[in-house]
């Protein structure tokens, strides 16, 4: 029996050096003169990653994302390509048994490379989005080190950045098959090395004589999804000089909740593969009765089966195996007659698309499973159901798709065409797209093979705001044509039925199951005809999102707005000159123009005003005193802005719109626009505004009509539910209280319930709070909760400034669980102020708000009296600190004293490293942190449960802090040990 096949990732021990500083050839580096350590010119390399990532890691150049430091790094247009042509070197061990083969695999390189292994040279062809596999069986050293050196060349046409910047610089990068954002955009500074490097996984794989290549998995459904078939086709390559008598096995399992595996299918087929040949083999379909279906986020669970394929050879044993998670699901779409927008269905159910645009995780391509996990979980936490991978960015990696599979995010994947760079930019450039059309198509087909088995992948799109050149577009239409039984013909489509026996098996197609759309503004997106009808991309009056005149088309693929992070992020990513807030320049017409400092301007700051159309939304709260005050007020605006955007779109679900994608969800650098979390992974308040608005079942206020609406995006009818609407003024009283009972809400519908008439009442207050609760009448379980701060027409929020002086008492109860470096904390925050006529406080937020016996454990509740010692904190208020350095379990209770009655407004948790030697401006945050909610407010008597989870670096003690609008700089710090 031969030694089992194996796959080894080469992600450690890499060295790098500038090619012009290395005196040896590739042959010499991999035979007689290998580098032995990270001594000049060699340095520790960032692989996977880029040349610039390696230079930053070794502090050869400063962090390009900090302040204006990117301007100090020489651009490839000025240095020449040789400056960013680098050697990468590593070594590995690999011992083969008889009849085993070894492949050296590069999942992606930018842009081309010369590979040397043990003195033997192989040239890797051009193209950023293609895999390379080299059979190195005959050149391995069976004993000792195998020396690997890779000379990586930058893109052929890196371009030059015009003085005025622009979308994609001078557009020259579009002549290559590479990512286009690297020449800079209106949201991104240029990347100086144009992402040159070994930017994706490097591995060696050992197999027997026969190798499994690119299996394709497809599910088909019958009888209303009760019966399903799994179709499988794979390529098999026999590298031996004799006919291989094989048995090919497919095993389908599902992992159960108790970590056991249930084997659903095990099937084996015998076949012969001629010597030195590569064949395609279709495995007989596997039948499933009522399989667990994969659903998008908000529609159901993301059931994933594991499909494992192995091949055994007579006289040898197992030669190779392959496995992949697979979800049984069917995605269809058509242009909706009512709205003109593209309407998606998953497993026969319409899905209203609410998601965002994605560029890439990091501008230096420091990609990792851990970072991807956080990125995608953040999107799921916002209740999004789709991510659009923008055409100027990446064909995203399998790890990205893995977490989209896991969390239920549908993915719109574009190819590498943008209107700005490919024929529609200023100046017009590259009307024929990349110079090498065959290379583009090769990369596209290889990308399809890499990603097609992921259930989250929903559609392919030819380009951003542009279609590919005619020959490329025609080829993609042909290559990605749908199998006839996966074509959608609209609302009156035939039911899911049997596949025609005359048709090819769907797994024999390159894809065959996902639609190809030629461009992001065509065929049910924007106006459907390619005109620039996406956007807008700046601050809006919140009520405008609810007006029919705001956007004219059924599906908007891009609509964007502001994205200011918290003050701690500004201090962590900019020198003190960047801490200056904008100058608010009053214009003759009464509007305000924001003039940002040069560092903010370089980081693409979007103002919170739009002269002639939108008054400055930060100044609605009064003049910003300093950076902390500005950023806090920006978070208030972020929350309102993005909640209104999604609620406005959802208010016209199916009647006017089929979906919306926000531009953008994050930035691949320290940008200051269009983001819900910053590059350091701290969420803005807009994150939680989206999380609120995109709930599957949601109660909301139409800001244009002031009607209370309920959105039910699920397939289940709601009955016996009620809505409670309570208004709270700044004095802590409840002048308006209404309950609408015995409601029934149809599935997939928006229902207007009643007008919220407080603004029309006698002597309404100019600024007030509104709390909406949708609850089940039988047990008072909260289904949806939505909290607004509002002002009367023509007023502003300046009365909230003196409201900061209110001292609202809080009770904070917590339970902590620590598993190795992961902390999970359950917190309940209660506004303990009371009013005699408080009706709304009888319900806590959801069934989870009631503390169960398991939460309390066996310990009694005990109020811990905290010391009144002082500690320096940067900012305009002191924080309430809770330090969890004590027991691993048990309940902790802390009280924040206060004598006023009212709403505890805009409460915000954060997690920090406990430090005694704190320096001004130092960033003590532990990031990322996952919160079940944040930037929340509590009416008198109300309790909010919050779950907090995070990982702590070794040797660091975490401290959880709570701050809020009502806690000024005089507030004493509270710590619980």
């Amino acid at each position: 029996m031969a030694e089992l096949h194996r796959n080894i990732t080469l992600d450690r021990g890499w060295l790098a050096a500038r090619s012009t500083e290395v005196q040896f050839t590739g042959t010499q580096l991999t035979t007689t003169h290998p580098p032995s350590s990270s001594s000049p010119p060699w340095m520790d390399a960032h692989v996977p990653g880029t040349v610039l990532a390696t230079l930053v890691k070794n502090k050869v150049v400063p962090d390009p994302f900090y302040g204006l430091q990117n301007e100090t790094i020489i651009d490839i247009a000025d240095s020449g390509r040789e400056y960013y042509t680098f050697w990468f070197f590593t070594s590995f061990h690999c011992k083969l048994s008889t009849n085993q083969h070894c492949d050296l695999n590069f999942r992606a390189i930018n842009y081309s490379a010369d590979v040397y292994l043990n003195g033997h040279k192989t040239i890797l062809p051009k193209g950023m989005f293609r895999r390379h596999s080299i059979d190195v069986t005959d050149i391995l050293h069976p004993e000792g080190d195998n020396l690997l050196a890779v000379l990586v060349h930058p893109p052929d046409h890196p371009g030059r950045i015009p003085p005025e910047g622009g979308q994609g610089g001078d557009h020259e990068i579009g002549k290559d098959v590479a990512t286009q954002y690297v020449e800079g955009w209106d949201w991104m500074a240029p990347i100086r090395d144009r992402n040159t490097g070994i930017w994706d996984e490097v591995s060696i794989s050992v197999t027997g004589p026969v190798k499994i290549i690119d299996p394709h998995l497809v599910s088909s459904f019958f009888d209303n999804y009760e019966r399903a078939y799994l179709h499988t086709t794979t390529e098999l390559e026999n590298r031996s000089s004799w006919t291989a008598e094989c048995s090919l096995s497919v095993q389908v399992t599902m992992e159960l909740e108790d970590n056991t595996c249930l084997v659903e299918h095990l099937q084996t087929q015998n076949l012969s593969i001629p010597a030195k040949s590569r064949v395609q083999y279709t495995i007989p379909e596997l039948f499933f009765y009522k399989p667990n279906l994969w659903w998008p986020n908000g529609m159901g669970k993301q059931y994933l089966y594991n499909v494992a394929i192995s091949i055994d050879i007579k006289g040898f044993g197992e030669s190779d195996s392959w496995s992949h998670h697979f979800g049984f699901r069917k995605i269809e779409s058509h242009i909706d007659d009512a709205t003109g927008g593209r309407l998606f269905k998953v497993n026969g159910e319409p899905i209203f698309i609410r998601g965002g645009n994605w560029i890439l995780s990091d501008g230096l391509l420091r990609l990792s499973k851990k970072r991807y996990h956080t990125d995608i979980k953040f999107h799921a936490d916002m209740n999004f159901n789709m991510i659009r991978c923008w055409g100027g960015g990446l064909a995203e990696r399998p790890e990205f798709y893995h977490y989209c599979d896991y969390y239920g995010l549908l993915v719109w994947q574009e190819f590498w065409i943008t209107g700005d760079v490919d024929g529609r930019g200023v100046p017009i450039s590259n009307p024929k797209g990349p110079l090498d059309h065959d290379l583009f198509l090769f990369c596209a087909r290889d990308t399809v093979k890499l990603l097609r088995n992921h259930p989250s992948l929903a559609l392919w799109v030819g380009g951003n705001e542009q279609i590919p050149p005619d020959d490329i577009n025609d080829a993609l239409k042909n290559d990605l044509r749908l199998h006839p039984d996966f074509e959608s013909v609209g609302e009156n489509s035939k039911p899911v039925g049997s596949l025609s026996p005359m048709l090819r098996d769907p797994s024999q197609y390159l894809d065959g199951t996902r639609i190809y759309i030629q461009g992001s503004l065509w065929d049910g997106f924007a106006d459907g005809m390619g005109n620039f009808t996406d956007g807008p991309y700046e601050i809006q009056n919140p009520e405008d999102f609810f007006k029919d005149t705001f956007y004219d088309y059924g599906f908007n693929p891009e609509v964007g707005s502001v994205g200011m992070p918290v003050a701690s992020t500004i201090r962590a990513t900019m020198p003190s000159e960047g801490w200056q807030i904008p100058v608010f320049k009053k214009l003759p017409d009464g509007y305000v123009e924001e003039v940002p400092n040069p560092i903010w301007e370089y980081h693409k700051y979007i103002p919170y005003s739009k002269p002639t159309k939108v008054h400055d939304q930060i100044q609605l709260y009064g003049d910003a005193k300093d950076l902390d005050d500005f950023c806090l007020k920006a978070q208030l605006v972020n929350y309102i802005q993005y909640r209104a955007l999604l609620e406005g779109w959802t208010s016209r679900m199916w009647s006017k719109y089929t979906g919306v994608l926000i531009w953008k969800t994050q930035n691949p650098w320290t940008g200051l626009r269009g983001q819900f979390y910053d590059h350091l992974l701290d969420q803005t308040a807009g994150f939680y505004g989206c999380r609120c608005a995109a709930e599957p079942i949601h109660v909301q206020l139409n800001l244009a009509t002031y009607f209370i609406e309920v959105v039910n995006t699920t397939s289940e009818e709601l009955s016996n539910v009620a809505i409670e609407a309570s208004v709270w003024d700044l004095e802590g009283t409840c002048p308006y209280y209404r309950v609408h009972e015995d409601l029934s809400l149809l599935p997939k519908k928006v229902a207007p319930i009643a007008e919220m008439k407080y603004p029309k009442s006698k002597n309404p207050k100019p600024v007030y709070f509104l709390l909406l609760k949708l609850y089940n009448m039988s047990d008072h379980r909260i289904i949806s909760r939505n909290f607004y701060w509002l002002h009367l027409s023509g007023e502003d929020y300046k009365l909230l400034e003196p409201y900061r002086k209110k001292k609202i008492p809080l009770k904070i109860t917590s339970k902590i669980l620590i598993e190795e470096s992961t902390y999970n904390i359950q917190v309940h925050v209660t506004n303990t102020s009371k009013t005699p006529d408080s009706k709304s406080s009888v319900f806590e937020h959801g069934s989870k708000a009631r503390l169960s016996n398991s939460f309390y454990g066996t310990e009694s509740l005990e109020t811990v009296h905290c010391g009144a010692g002082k500690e320096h904190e940067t900012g305009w208020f002191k924080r309430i600190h809770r330090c969890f350095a004590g027991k691993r379990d048990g309940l902790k209770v802390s009280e924040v004293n206060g004598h006023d009655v009212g709403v505890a407004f805009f409460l915000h948790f954060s997690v920090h490293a406990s430090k005694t030697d704190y320096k001004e401006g130092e960033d003590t945050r532990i990031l990322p942190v996952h919160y079940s909610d944040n930037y929340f407010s509590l009416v008198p008597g109300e309790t909010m449960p919050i779950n907090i989870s995070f990982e702590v670096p070794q040797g660091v003690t975490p401290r959880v802090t709570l701050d809020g609008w009502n806690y000024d700089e005089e507030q004493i710090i509270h710590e619980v040990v």
Side-chain angles (χ1 to χ4, degrees):
M1 179 68 69
E3 182 183 355
L4 287 176
H5 60 88
R6 57 195 183 275
N7 192 293
I8 302 169
T9 302
L10 304 180
D11 57 359
R12 298 179 182 179
W14 285 88
L15 300 173
R18 184 169 283 115
S19 63
T20 55
E21 297 176 1
V22 176
Q23 58 181 323
F24 301 111
T25 66
T27 300
Q28 291 172 317
L29 290 174
T30 58
T31 53
T32 57
H33 293 83
S36 57
S37 65
S38 56
S39 56
W42 294 94
M43 64 193 85
D44 292 331
H46 206 302
V47 176
T50 63
V51 167
L52 194 54
T54 290
L55 296 176
V56 171
K57 176 181 180 179
N58 290 276
K59 296 182 169 51
V60 176
V61 299
D63 181 356
F65 299 164
Y66 183 88
L68 298 177
Q69 289 182 168
N70 193 49
E71 290 298 285
T72 69
I73 303 172
I74 189 168
D75 191 81
I76 193 171
D78 299 313
S79 68
R81 293 175 66 249
E82 295 79 9
Y83 186 82
Y84 287 109
T85 300
F86 264 63
W87 282 108
F88 292 86
F89 177 89
T90 193
S91 62
F92 61 89
H93 290 264
C94 183
K95 186 175 182 179
L96 300 180
S97 301
T98 304
N99 291 323
Q100 282 193 320
H101 295 257
C102 180
D103 291 313
L104 173 62
N105 309 300
F106 297 87
R107 209 165 63 181
I109 282 182
N110 190 26
Y111 185 60
S112 61
D114 303 331
V115 177
Y116 294 84
L117 180 63
N118 300 335
H120 296 263
K121 179 180 179 180
T122 302
I123 296 177
L124 299 187
K126 299 172 183 179
M128 185 174 179
F129 303 108
R130 64 185 300 171
R131 295 170 294 170
H132 307 273
S133 186
I134 308 168
D135 187 344
V136 296
T137 305
D138 296 334
I139 57 178
L140 284 182
H141 291 161
E143 306 291 343
D145 285 342
N146 291 278
L147 305 181
L148 173 63
V150 185
L151 182 64
V152 180
H153 304 278
D156 292 345
H157 302 88
R160 180 173 294 276
I161 313 304
E164 67 276 11
Q167 311 289 81
D170 65 359
H171 308 154
E172 284 292 290
I173 194 68
K175 293 179 178 178
D176 296 328
V177 183
T179 186
Q180 297 182 357
Y181 82 97
V182 290
E183 281 203 66
W185 228 267
D186 59 3
W187 44 264
M188 183 77 194
I191 302 296
R192 300 306 184 189
D193 70 344
R194 307 296 190 265
N195 281 162
T196 299
I198 305 173
W199 68 275
D200 201 1
E201 179 183 280
V202 184
S203 67
I204 55 171
S205 54
V206 176
T207 70
V210 175
K211 177 182 175 182
I212 298 172
I213 302 172
D214 292 332
H216 186 199
L217 309 175
V218 173
S219 54
S220 61
F221 299 94
F222 315 95
D223 300 336
N224 198 29
Y225 297 89
E226 287 198 352
R227 295 190 299 124
Y229 287 93
L230 174 63
H231 306 261
T232 307
T233 294
T234 185
E235 291 185 76
L236 301 168
E237 183 180 12
N238 181 5
R239 292 190 276 193
S240 73
S241 56
W242 35 271
T243 298
E245 300 297 332
C246 307
S247 58
L248 184 65
S249 298
V250 180
Q251 179 175 280
V252 183
T253 60
M254 170 162 279
E255 187 173 331
L256 304 179
E257 292 182 359
D258 58 357
N259 292 323
T260 59
C261 262
L262 175 65
V263 178
E264 298 270 356
H265 270 287
L266 178 59
Q267 177 174 287
T268 301
Q269 298 291 316
N270 295 322
L271 66 153
S272 298
I273 306 176
K276 303 292 183 182
S277 67
R278 186 163 171 167
V279 300
Q280 184 182 78
Y281 184 79
T282 299
I283 299 168
E285 58 197 25
L286 301 178
F287 172 72
F288 291 78
Y289 180 65
K290 290 185 177 180
N292 292 316
L293 301 180
W294 183 94
W295 291 96
N297 189 31
M299 292 185 72
K301 292 184 178 181
Q302 291 75 51
Y303 286 105
L304 293 171
Y305 292 79
N306 189 60
V307 179
I309 301 173
S310 61
I311 188 160
D312 282 54
I313 300 176
K314 185 176 181 181
F316 178 84
E318 187 173 273
S319 179
D320 197 8
S321 71
W322 174 94
S323 66
H324 203 287
H325 282 111
F326 180 75
F328 282 92
R329 63 96 182 97
K330 184 175 184 179
I331 298 175
E332 305 166 89
S333 69
H334 65 274
I335 297 176
D336 177 51
D337 291 337
T339 64
R342 184 158 291 275
L343 191 154
F344 287 86
K345 289 184 176 182
V346 179
N347 304 329
E349 294 284 344
I351 175 172
F352 187 72
I353 297 298
R354 292 175 292 188
N357 284 268
W358 168 269
I359 312 302
L360 67 160
S361 186
D362 177 65
L364 303 188
L365 302 188
R366 295 167 293 195
L367 311 178
S368 68
K369 292 180 181 178
K370 186 174 182 179
R371 175 86 184 203
Y372 273 136
H373 189 185
T374 299
D375 282 321
I376 303 310
K377 187 177 189 306
F378 275 175
H379 285 74
D381 287 347
M382 286 187 282
N383 289 312
F384 285 173
N385 53 30
M386 179 177 277
I387 297 177
R388 173 193 172 208
C389 293
W390 175 73
L394 299 180
E396 266 302 350
R397 302 296 88 194
E399 291 78 14
F400 171 94
Y401 278 91
H402 168 78
Y403 290 112
C404 288
D405 295 343
Y406 185 81
Y407 285 108
L409 275 299
L410 297 172
V411 183
W412 158 334
Q413 179 66 65
E414 284 179 6
F415 296 113
W416 317 285
I417 296 287
T418 67
D420 297 283
V421 171
D422 296 293
R424 303 182 81 173
V426 179
I428 291 178
S429 181
N430 306 319
K432 295 184 179 179
L435 296 181
D436 190 337
H437 289 197
D438 289 338
L439 173 60
F440 186 99
L441 288 169
F442 182 93
C443 290
R445 291 163 183 145
D446 199 54
T447 296
V448 173
K449 292 178 182 179
L450 178 68
L451 303 176
R452 62 189 177 185
N453 292 316
H454 289 278
S456 57
L457 178 56
L459 72 158
W460 303 102
V461 178
N464 164 64
E465 299 176 337
Q466 177 64 301
I467 62 176
D470 289 345
D471 59 325
I472 293 178
N473 195 36
D474 290 343
L476 289 173
K477 286 180 180 179
N478 180 67
D479 289 347
L480 297 173
R481 67 192 183 280
L482 290 170
H483 184 282
D485 285 285
F486 289 84
E487 294 176 351
S488 176
V489 291
E491 284 297 322
N492 299 317
S493 61
K494 60 185 178 182
V496 179
S498 60
L499 294 176
S500 167
M502 302 300 294
L503 297 174
R504 288 167 55 199
D505 187 283
S507 64
Q508 294 175 1
Y509 281 56
L510 179 62
D511 187 322
T513 66
R514 298 173 182 89
I515 194 167
Y516 167 75
I517 303 295
Q518 58 188 345
S520 67
L521 303 176
W522 281 260
D523 302 322
F525 300 123
D527 74 350
M529 298 180 289
N531 296 304
F532 286 109
T533 47
D534 45 5
Y537 302 95
E538 61 273 310
I539 193 76
Q540 304 293 326
N541 293 307
E543 62 272 17
D544 289 348
F545 290 114
F546 293 83
K547 298 176 180 177
D548 283 336
T549 56
F550 183 74
Y551 188 72
D552 292 333
Y553 308 104
F555 194 119
N556 194 343
E558 296 182 17
V559 56
S561 191
V562 291
M564 192 66 190
V566 298
S568 294
T569 292
I570 295 297
R571 292 192 176 95
T573 58
M574 298 178 185
S576 56
E577 310 91 82
W579 304 354
Q580 301 301 312
I581 65 174
V583 174
F584 295 89
K585 182 180 177 182
K586 192 74 173 286
L587 302 177
D589 60 2
Y591 285 90
V592 167
E593 178 186 358
E594 291 186 16
V595 182
N597 68 64
I599 298 179
W600 285 25
E601 190 169 9
Y602 190 80
H603 286 253
K604 315 298 185 178
Y605 172 75
I606 285 186
Y608 282 69
S609 64
K610 185 180 177 184
T612 74
K613 291 187 178 181
V614 182
H615 286 286
D616 194 285
Q617 297 294 289
I618 287 179
Q619 287 204 323
L620 290 180
Y621 297 88
D623 293 334
K625 296 186 287 291
D626 53 25
L627 179 64
D628 292 281
D629 194 29
F630 180 90
C631 289
L632 178 63
K633 288 172 178 173
Q635 299 317 311
L636 290 165
V637 180
N638 290 344
Y639 194 104
I640 289 177
Q641 184 78 180
Y642 285 108
R643 177 178 60 182
L645 189 160
L646 285 180
E647 288 183 341
W649 243 270
T650 307
S651 179
R652 274 79 52 84
M653 179 176 71
W654 312 134
S655 63
K656 185 174 177 62
Y657 301 129
T658 60
V660 61
L661 298 174
I662 298 174
W663 182 267
K664 329 177 279 330
T665 57
Q666 48 76 248
N667 279 296
W669 77 308
T670 49
L672 298 180
R673 64 165 59 193
Q675 60 186 358
F676 299 127
Y677 57 94
D678 58 47
H679 194 56
L680 304 183
L681 299 177
D682 199 354
Q683 300 96 329
T684 73
F687 182 106
Y688 298 97
C690 287
R691 177 178 173 82
C692 171
E695 294 175 301
I697 301 171
H698 181 62
V699 60
Q700 65 184 38
L701 182 70
N702 186 311
L703 296 180
T705 65
Y706 269 55
F707 260 74
I708 298 170
E709 301 171 338
V710 178
V711 178
N712 181 9
T713 67
T714 75
S715 58
E716 302 295 328
E717 181 177 353
L718 292 177
S719 58
N720 195 33
V721 296
I723 293 174
E724 176 193 81
S726 59
V727 167
W728 298 81
D729 60 26
L730 301 186
E731 286 72 46
T733 63
C734 181
Y736 180 92
Y737 181 83
R738 300 288 187 274
V739 176
H740 308 278
E741 296 184 318
D742 299 319
L743 303 175
S744 293
L745 306 169
L746 294 174
K748 310 286 185 183
K749 296 290 184 182
V750 179
I753 304 301
E755 185 180 0
M756 198 282 291
K757 295 184 177 180
Y758 175 72
K760 297 180 179 179
S761 64
K762 186 177 181 180
N763 299 320
K765 300 298 176 64
V767 177
Y768 59 95
F769 304 112
L770 170 67
L771 178 62
L772 300 177
K773 291 183 179 181
L774 173 68
Y775 64 93
N776 191 309
M777 293 183 64
S778 61
D779 59 5
H780 289 168
R781 179 179 61 87
I782 301 297
I783 300 170
S784 173
R785 175 190 182 276
N786 203 348
F787 180 89
Y788 294 83
W789 52 103
L790 299 164
H791 62 73
L792 298 181
S793 178
E795 300 288 343
D796 53 36
Y797 292 115
K798 290 177 182 176
L799 287 176
L800 285 174
E801 185 64 34
Y803 189 72
R804 286 181 171 183
K805 297 179 181 179
K806 288 268 192 177
K807 299 296 185 291
I808 309 299
L810 295 175
K811 180 179 180 180
I812 307 163
T813 310
S814 62
K815 168 99 172 181
I816 185 169
L817 174 65
I818 306 173
E819 296 181 0
E820 297 180 347
S821 63
T822 301
Y823 282 61
N824 288 285
I825 304 173
Q826 296 174 326
V827 182
H828 285 70
V829 185
T830 301
N831 178 344
T832 55
S833 69
K834 300 288 184 182
T835 59
D837 58 346
S838 174
K839 307 178 183 69
S840 178
S841 61
V842 296
F843 306 124
E844 293 180 338
H845 177 45
S847 58
K848 292 183 180 178
R850 297 182 176 86
L851 299 180
S852 65
N853 291 333
S854 62
F855 183 95
Y856 282 104
T858 58
E859 297 189 16
S860 61
L861 288 178
E862 180 181 355
T863 301
V864 181
H865 301 283
C866 305
K870 292 189 176 181
E871 175 180 325
H872 177 75
E873 286 282 332
T874 301
W876 56 271
F877 52 71
K878 296 290 184 178
R879 291 186 173 91
I880 310 149
H881 294 289
R882 303 215 55 228
C883 182
F884 298 96
K887 296 184 192 177
R888 287 174 171 263
D889 55 10
L891 207 61
K892 301 290 184 183
V893 179
S894 178
E895 293 187 356
V896 179
N897 295 323
H899 53 78
D900 291 313
V901 175
V903 171
F905 183 52
F906 218 54
L907 300 173
H908 170 243
F909 280 108
S910 56
V911 182
H912 299 259
S914 293
K915 300 194 71 171
T916 56
D917 55 343
Y918 176 81
K919 299 176 183 177
E920 185 174 359
E922 182 179 1
D923 189 8
T924 62
R925 290 173 298 172
I926 293 173
L927 297 171
V929 182
H930 298 278
Y931 305 94
S932 61
D933 204 354
N934 219 343
Y935 294 101
F936 60 97
S937 302
L938 298 173
V939 303
E942 190 180 22
T943 295
M944 176 76 77
I946 306 288
N947 293 324
I948 305 172
S949 62
F950 53 92
E951 288 190 16
V952 176
Q954 188 173 3
V956 172
T957 300
R959 180 185 65 196
V960 178
T961 72
L962 177 67
D963 59 59
W965 190 261
N966 303 107
Y967 306 99
D968 61 24
E969 59 187 0
E970 298 301 320
Q971 178 64 46
I972 296 174
I973 294 171
H974 291 258
E975 286 192 350
V976 180
V977 179

